[in-house]
Amino acid sequence: MLGGAHRLGGREGTSAKLAVTMYAIVTATLRHSPRCWTARRTATTIISGNKTSLQVRERLKRDVEKMGAQFPGFRPGLVVLQVGDREDSNLYISMKLKAAAEIGINANHIRLPKTATEAEVLQRILEVNENPAVHGLIVQLPLDSIHPMDTEKVTNAVAPGKDVDGLTSINAGKLSRGDLGDCFIPCTPNGCMELIRQTGVSVAGKKAVVIGRSKIVGAPMHDLLLWSHATVTTCHSKTADLAAEVGQADILVVGAGKAEMVKGEWVRKGAVVIDCGINHIPDSSKASGKRVVGDVHYPSAKERAGFITPVPGGVGPMTVAMLMENTVQSAERFLQTYQPGKWNITYNKLNIQTPVPSDAEASRSCSHKPIAQLAKEIGLLSTELDPCGETKAKVHLDVVKRLQKQPDGKYVVVTGITPTPLGEGKRTTTLGLTQALGAHLNTNAVACVRQPVRGPDFGIGGGAIGGGYSQAVPSEEVNLHLSGDVPAVIAASRLLSDAIDARLFHESTLSDGALYDHLVPLKKDQRKFSPAQLRRLKKSGIKKTDPATLTEEEVGRFVRLDIDPDVSAWGRGLDTSSQGQSPMEKRLTRAFSTSVASEIMAILSLTSGQKDMQQRLAKMVVATNQNGEPITAEDLGMSRALADLLRDAVKPNLIQTLEGTPVFVHTSPFCDIAHGNPSILADKIAMKLVGPEGFVVTEAGYGADIGLEKFCNIKCRSSGLQPHVVVLVATVRGLKLHGGGPTVTAGGPLPKEYEEENLSLLEQGCGHLRRQVQNARAFGVPVVVAVNVFPTDTDAELDLVCHAARLAGAFDAARCSAWAEGGAGAVGLGEAVQRAAEEPSKFRFLYNAELPITDKIRTIAMEMYGADDVELLPEAKRKVELYAQQGYGSLPVCMAKTPFSLSHDPDRKGVPAGFVLPILDIGVNVGAEYLYALVNATVAFPDWPRFHDAEADSETEPDA
């Protein structure tokens, strides 16, 4: 014998070096006679877990560096979740975090207090499961909580693909079946196998004994040895003649948790002994009074074993190393499908039919993904989603905060020529372009569109969610009330109307004291002002906060709003029928308006969040007092109630196109009286989700002269976002009408000029196209013209329009057949948009908001409409002076003008000239933060709606 053992990787003396040499000779000899290896060994080799773990960590460090070189900025992510503050757990966690840092793994420690409940722990696990930056999750055991914890339930809540501890039932099941390449192996058994491999001993054909049957060590160790072709016996506390079983083991793994239970004389000579135990026994020679030992009596066992692991310094370091190994392995699996900045998304295959069927038939011919699947594909967490059934969901606003460091994507706004009764297909183009960018050009793409309202659906307009094979689904639900946003706006509007009526009634029937008792009631012998009432006091010039200290005069000043019933400032909300007033309503002048024309809808569209929304609602001017001074929703104490009604409506709605690309449908402000764009919140969330190389395709209502102008001058001022590309939608038949073609009626037969080639008529109409390209370019953004193709268009006509668009200064022009072909029909448009987005954007506003009100109106009229000048009627002049005095003069201007002509006359098509734009009146939406100039008295819906003819679809809604 060479006398004594030596540590692998340690600093040995001469005898130790000789032992290594002799070991190499013996090992080489035994390779040719494996059955005799145990009998011939005379020296014990101590297997150093410290050295082996260091080798593993160095290898992993190189692997992580390779990942970073291949995918700049990428690092494997690890989270350790701890409940409570146990000292031993803290020690283990610090070791794991230190090892992760050395390797280059981005490790985070989440510590929940001892008061954490099981539900709270499960919620945090769910959040980590869904975080794509985390590839490994460890739940530190034991769970040190004052509340009952089901450890099995908690560990099984970890996603199997992130279960780097290998403790979930799924990973354990795969291991037991032998699916070693498709699971995570528990770290301690995995470390044991690595230590056995370090000995050079082949496991195949050997007799292995495992003492202990725990889920963490014994059971998985048995499976690993078995699938490595050993003959395995598992022993435990009930095993008869344990010493005899141990004496037969070529490989012995002990994880019983009992100090020095395996005696040296039990061990077969030359056996490999892996000791997983960590126990403390009394030792007066130690300062702590105790020392650490394993489950094997080390001094006697090392005299018989061929290889043995020390305690400490054996299996322990390997457990941490294998944890890091599993984390890196998880990251490598992630990278197999990872494309930097790209979603891992599946798209739906269209079942294209010719001729194109009805929109309803086209929608039903395609399968749709569950909305939870789509949300996950685009990077939303389940905690950021409120599903509304299987097809739609509300998205929480805090996703913007989570992704605040994520660069924004490319911002594309779709507008069009001045619309005609024939329809230009702007919404269809918007959705088709998004499908092309996503499903066909492999780019992250989200469409953001306005929400249809029941007015169009039950009026004459029909649905408004695209058409053919470029539409959003579920179309029926979207066209009705989706998730209830519009009904919420109507409810808020009517609540405000009721509050005004109630205040008028009470102020006319109650004394100041009685009003005060109602507004500031006595509760438990005390009165208390609400936050809104404190602001009302400040506005009234009363510098008191104690309700008991107000004088009679101050009480009267506080409670009396003195609303003038003859001045209408707030309309009662409707959504389908005509505006007007019942003859029965004699007491109060009350106008009626649609929900989409309400300032509440405009605020919902322009707000940046819940807090901002309430502040904007508070500022709304809802009435006028007898002195002509404005009365706000805050004066009525209504802002909190209104915000509560809208707390869900402020969240964007997620749906999908027929091809499975994401669509945000949110808010529906009209473009004649409001700004006519989808919500800022939808755009901002989408911009974060798509990432810097992705595209957000949003829309602007009506033509470039109205919708795009308001998008840039109103919405972009509020949001801070700037478009990279403008897509201008045009049609051959629409341009023919602008060229002097005969009048058409929606739904009626088309004159032959629109169904046959007529290049001269089309050439005249291209003057209107040139004007709208000029309007779009006025904002300093590249313009791509999308020619929406209809079956009656000829190649010569389409070529003419594209040529005219380029001559007018468009960056490019492309045919778009998205209605008939889905995203495939808009690929050319998508490629043109991608090229245009690479051009430098020199975005600019049309006017400086600090200009006088009249100058802003004049700039819009002359630059966008081609007017010679503007004429302010007496009421408009009075309002200009009033609003300038009230401090509203620096707000942007929203023009309320007919959308059917560049001028104020809807019958003047083409490029009207030589006209002066009349301004009938000017109003202010203080909460929405814009002035609106009334050019036309716009009627949004007809007097007689279509809801009388509506019937259920028996094919999709069978009887119960």
Side-chain angles (χ1 to χ4, degrees), residues 4 88 111 156 161 248 276 302 375 408 417 428 445 455 477 522 524 539 595 647-648 670 751 756 798 815 855 868 917:
D88 54 349
R111 176 182 286 160
N156 274 317
Q248 299 180 45
C276 302
K302 76 175 182 178
D408 287 341
I417 62 172
T428 300
E477 296 177 42
L522 194 65
K524 296 181 180 180
K539 181 178 178 180
S595 61
R647 67 176 187 173
D648 289 325
F670 260 21
E756 299 176 357
L798 294 170
R815 302 183 187 188
D855 289 350
D868 291 340
L917 192 74

Side-chain angles (χ1 to χ4, degrees), residues 558-572:
F558 169 73
V559 300
R560 295 281 169 188
L561 297 181
D562 289 330
I563 297 172
D564 187 346
D566 296 325
V567 177
S568 174
W570 188 258
R572 189 177 295 279

Side-chain angles (χ1 to χ4, degrees), residues 671-695:
C671 201
D672 44 10
I673 191 66
H675 61 291
N677 309 131
S679 76
I680 285 174
L681 284 169
D683 287 0
K684 283 192 169 183
I685 291 174
M687 291 285 278
K688 292 299 181 186
L689 289 173
V690 299
E693 301 303 318
F695 285 81

Side-chain angles (χ1 to χ4, degrees), residues 78 112 206 321 701:
L78 174 67
L112 301 180
K206 300 298 187 299

Side-chain angles (χ1 to χ4, degrees), residues 417-429:
I417 62 172
T418 296
T420 68
L422 297 169
E424 277 47 69
K426 194 162 69 267
R427 178 72 54 83
T428 300
T429 302

Side-chain angles (χ1 to χ4, degrees), residues 40 50 57 138 256 315 400 527 605 672 690 788 827 849 884 954:
R40 297 185 184 182
N50 288 322
R57 283 150 69 166
I138 304 165
V315 174
V400 176
R527 298 182 193 271
S605 178
D672 44 10
V690 299
N788 189 17
V827 169
S954 59

Side-chain angles (χ1 to χ4, degrees), residues 371 380 384-388 392-396 451 482-485 648-654 664-666:
I371 200 65
L380 288 168
E384 296 167 341
L385 211 65
D386 288 333
C388 305
K392 56 188 185 291
K394 282 284 186 183
V395 177
H396 293 199
Q451 181 176 340
L482 195 58
S483 55
D485 296 350
D648 289 325
V650 75
K651 303 172 187 174
N653 306 288
L654 176 66
F664 281 123
V665 181
H666 197 217

